[in-house]
Amino acid sequence: MAQTALFTLPTPPAPAPVPVRVGKRPTVLSYGLGADSTAILLKFLADPEAYGLEPDLSDLIVVHAVTGDEWPDSLSYVRRLVLPLLAARKVRTVQLSRGGRRDSDGVLILDDTRTPGHIWEAGPWRLSEELCAAGTVPQMASGRRTCSIRFKGWVLDAWAFYEFGASSFRRVIGYHAGERDRAEKDTQIQERINAEAGRVVYEPYYPLIDTDGMDRAAVETYVHARLGERIRKSYCAQCPFSLTCAARDRHEERLRDHPAIGSAVLMMEYTSQALNEKVALYGERSLYQQLTEDARNDEVLTRFEEALDAVPFALYEVRRLYLPGRTKDCRNQHGKRCSSPRWWCRTKPTTVCRRRHRGGGHAPECGGSDPACRGEQAKGQAWRSVRTVWEGSRFDAGVTLLRWGREAGARLRTGESMIRRVHYLEAGEGYPSADAYLVAAPVGVEDKQRTAKRPDAGFEAKWTQVTGLAGTRWEPVRPLVVRQQDRTVGPVPVRSLGKAQRALAVELSA
């Protein structure tokens, strides 16, 4: 699909939300294209009233959040076997995506119809584009799947508020009977949201658990029997849970079926590990390592190596600060906030500490005259700066990397990924600490570092404070672009793709 040509066309004003009839609570099925949500949909179509729906399914809305990175076979399966069933019963089907990289770009309604015939491959901004620009792979943050939140949960919630406003609805989620823990956690989250809102935002419903008691095997058997084809797991090609979403052999089989996709995922992982050796697709274990263990994956690996030779490369100067975190003693002495946690005094200061810290608990860190005065350190945030300092071919990037490293007196390091880096600063023990190196990787990672309105609070000020150095070792090829804060005030904007744009997209994807 020619994304750039399509999504730069003018977008018409968003239509007014469809009013919900008084006393009629709609049911929204979050359709992920996989076996669980497909089984639920088939059951709704077969016997609506058994699941609290109107016989004509007029109160059912099937909503799909488009990430841009679904497997082609999943899209084909739904287009051929599922959409015709929805169209025959006139079931309202809505396909959504992020309107752009920023939250302020809102949500784009790609399609909203009762006669669906096209499954969207991507919207204006794909998850893979975001990850490549950041130079990383999907990760967990505080126990949350941040990619799912940004490209699915956030999109669905914004549309639901646009669609229903203060009216409640029933949201159907495809957890099977073997996922009761996930369903209970989801229910607890929703109960908290309802309590904070002071009303019922939506009521979660898990038909495969609450009504049918179907585990994964039963779900797959049911879908196969109804549609005549085995359905594969639905997940993004670069999902770090691919060994959970699909058994290893099935996942690698899929990569072999789509070697170009496999190559793209390996390229993403390569760039991520170049910037941070420890951030591979499966934590510290890489997809590349895994694929090399089976000779059947040679075509995927060959495609990847050929792609590396073909794409332009850059030299990235990566600087990283490891800052101290707050300890129990710090919280006891400084309360809820502390801008500069260090080796703070223990809760009960010694005589030396009292003499040195006459200003009280907020005084500077202990000078260390009495070792018993010092509390234990804790690791805090890590700040990263990535600046592009050279661009060219892969071969020339390797040569330039070594030459610049020698000229700077930097040390050559090679990790398990076999990616070379030249380090001109290496992290020491304790916090704060810092390291910095030059590394070659495909072009595309955006220059980025923490900025702040106060000149003493951004990355550069902290870098100089910790290391005594000023700026990058090598001159960046372009000025740093400071992006606007990715925040929205009030409801997330929701707009609809125009008929002409929609028709063009369908034509291009045919």
Side-chain angles (χ1 to χ4, degrees):
M1 184 182 297
Q3 297 293 326
T4 303
L6 173 62
F7 289 106
T8 52
L9 294 174
T11 302
V18 178
V20 179
R21 285 182 285 174
V22 177
K24 185 179 181 64
R25 183 184 63 170
T27 294
V28 176
L29 169 61
S30 298
Y31 188 44
L33 310 187
D36 296 327
S37 53
T38 298
I40 293 171
L41 185 53
L42 293 174
K43 285 181 172 292
F44 284 0
L45 294 174
D47 190 358
E49 292 176 278
Y51 299 91
L53 296 166
E54 293 293 322
D56 62 355
L57 295 168
S58 58
D59 55 341
L60 174 63
I61 307 175
V62 177
V63 184
H64 171 55
V66 178
T67 66
D69 293 295
E70 279 285 353
W71 291 94
D73 47 53
S74 289
L75 297 172
S76 173
Y77 190 98
V78 171
R79 176 181 55 78
R80 293 182 296 104
L81 302 177
V82 179
L83 294 190
L85 301 178
L86 294 174
R89 297 292 298 275
K90 306 296 182 185
V91 176
R92 184 181 173 193
T93 306
V94 182
Q95 298 183 63
L96 311 164
S97 74
R98 290 188 66 92
R101 68 182 304 164
R102 301 176 303 173
D103 287 356
S104 56
D105 293 324
V107 170
L108 184 62
I109 301 175
L110 300 169
D111 205 4
D112 187 346
T113 179
R114 291 189 179 273
T115 55
H118 175 70
I119 187 73
W120 283 76
E121 175 190 346
W125 185 244
R126 299 172 185 250
L127 170 58
S128 53
E129 290 178 300
E130 181 158 302
L131 294 167
C132 289
T136 190
V137 292
Q139 299 173 43
M140 292 281 286
S142 302
R144 304 187 306 165
R145 303 183 187 189
T146 53
C147 54
S148 293
I149 293 172
R150 280 183 57 78
F151 281 80
K152 291 185 177 182
W154 183 85
V155 170
L156 294 170
D157 288 345
W159 172 84
F161 182 80
Y162 166 83
E163 178 76 18
F164 304 116
S167 300
S168 65
F169 61 99
R170 183 174 64 157
R171 174 172 284 173
V172 179
I173 304 172
Y175 292 138
H176 58 72
E179 298 178 306
R180 293 182 184 274
D181 290 345
R182 293 183 67 189
E184 290 174 0
K185 182 179 180 180
D186 181 73
T187 298
Q188 291 170 1
I189 293 173
Q190 188 53 41
E191 288 175 347
R192 184 172 67 250
I193 292 174
N194 291 342
E196 292 173 354
R199 66 180 182 88
V200 176
V201 178
Y202 70 80
E203 176 190 345
Y205 174 41
Y206 317 102
L208 298 179
I209 297 175
D210 300 337
T211 304
D212 300 308
M214 297 177 68
D215 61 14
R216 180 70 190 190
V219 165
E220 291 184 351
T221 300
Y222 175 79
V223 173
H224 190 185
R226 292 297 303 272
L227 299 181
E229 288 186 25
R230 179 175 69 86
I231 188 169
R232 285 179 157 183
K233 292 271 190 178
S234 173
Y235 57 97
C236 293
Q238 70 274 6
C239 180
F241 301 98
S242 53
L243 300 188
T244 302
C245 298
R248 173 174 173 174
D249 57 344
R250 289 189 179 183
H251 178 59
E252 293 186 13
E253 177 188 0
R254 221 166 187 180
L255 291 171
R256 292 192 293 270
D257 289 343
H258 305 282
I261 293 177
S263 171
V265 176
L266 287 169
M267 185 83 72
M268 179 187 297
E269 180 183 63
Y270 181 94
T271 303
S272 176
Q273 285 196 279
L275 302 183
N276 188 339
E277 179 74 25
K278 296 182 179 180
V279 184
L281 193 64
Y282 305 122
E284 295 190 16
R285 178 171 174 77
S286 69
L287 172 64
Y288 184 88
Q289 288 175 307
Q290 186 166 292
L291 294 182
T292 58
E293 296 171 358
D294 190 333
R296 293 178 298 174
N297 299 322
D298 285 352
E299 182 183 354
V300 179
L301 297 172
T302 299
R303 284 280 194 104
F304 166 58
E305 292 295 341
E306 291 174 347
L308 278 181
D309 288 334
V311 301
F313 258 60
L315 292 183
Y316 298 101
E317 183 173 347
V318 181
R319 294 176 293 161
R320 193 172 280 106
L321 290 169
Y322 305 96
L323 303 178
R326 300 198 65 191
T327 63
K328 181 179 179 181
D329 291 339
C330 179
R331 291 188 177 89
N332 287 340
Q333 294 204 41
H334 302 165
K336 294 182 179 180
R337 302 180 67 85
C338 178
S339 60
S340 300
R342 301 187 182 94
W343 292 68
W344 296 105
C345 284
R346 297 184 183 278
T347 304
K348 295 181 179 180
T350 64
T351 302
V352 174
C353 279
R354 290 193 185 94
R355 187 165 58 247
R356 288 182 173 273
H357 300 180
R358 292 176 182 176
H362 292 73
E365 66 176 306
C366 175
S369 298
D370 184 350
C373 176
R374 308 184 84 175
E376 294 183 359
Q377 274 194 311
K379 183 180 179 181
Q381 291 181 324
W383 292 7
R384 186 175 80 172
S385 166
V386 177
R387 302 300 304 273
T388 307
V389 296
W390 181 93
E391 292 178 341
S393 70
R394 184 187 185 188
F395 176 81
D396 289 342
V399 172
T400 306
L401 175 75
L402 296 178
R403 177 166 58 85
W404 285 11
R406 285 195 302 269
E407 292 172 354
R411 294 187 177 184
L412 181 65
R413 294 280 187 269
T414 304
E416 290 187 13
S417 64
M418 302 307 295
I419 297 174
R420 291 179 168 183
R421 303 171 186 82
V422 289
H423 290 253
Y424 68 85
L425 186 64
E426 300 193 55
E429 296 182 1
Y431 308 105
S433 185
D435 67 2
Y437 52 85
L438 192 66
V439 67
V443 163
V445 180
E446 293 183 343
D447 288 11
K448 186 177 181 180
Q449 65 188 38
R450 184 183 295 250
T451 58
K453 292 182 179 179
R454 287 173 36 219
D456 62 337
F459 180 90
E460 292 298 350
K462 183 68 71 173
W463 175 257
T464 300
Q465 177 186 338
V466 173
T467 67
L469 303 175
T472 55
R473 174 65 64 92
W474 295 276
E475 185 68 24
V477 300
R478 60 186 66 90
L480 181 68
V481 175
V482 180
R483 297 191 176 277
Q484 298 177 350
Q485 287 188 327
D486 185 14
R487 295 179 181 176
T488 57
V489 178
V492 174
V494 177
R495 64 187 190 279
S496 181
L497 195 64
K499 290 183 179 179
Q501 290 174 300
R502 189 176 299 116
L504 176 60
V506 173
E507 179 183 346
L508 291 172
S509 63

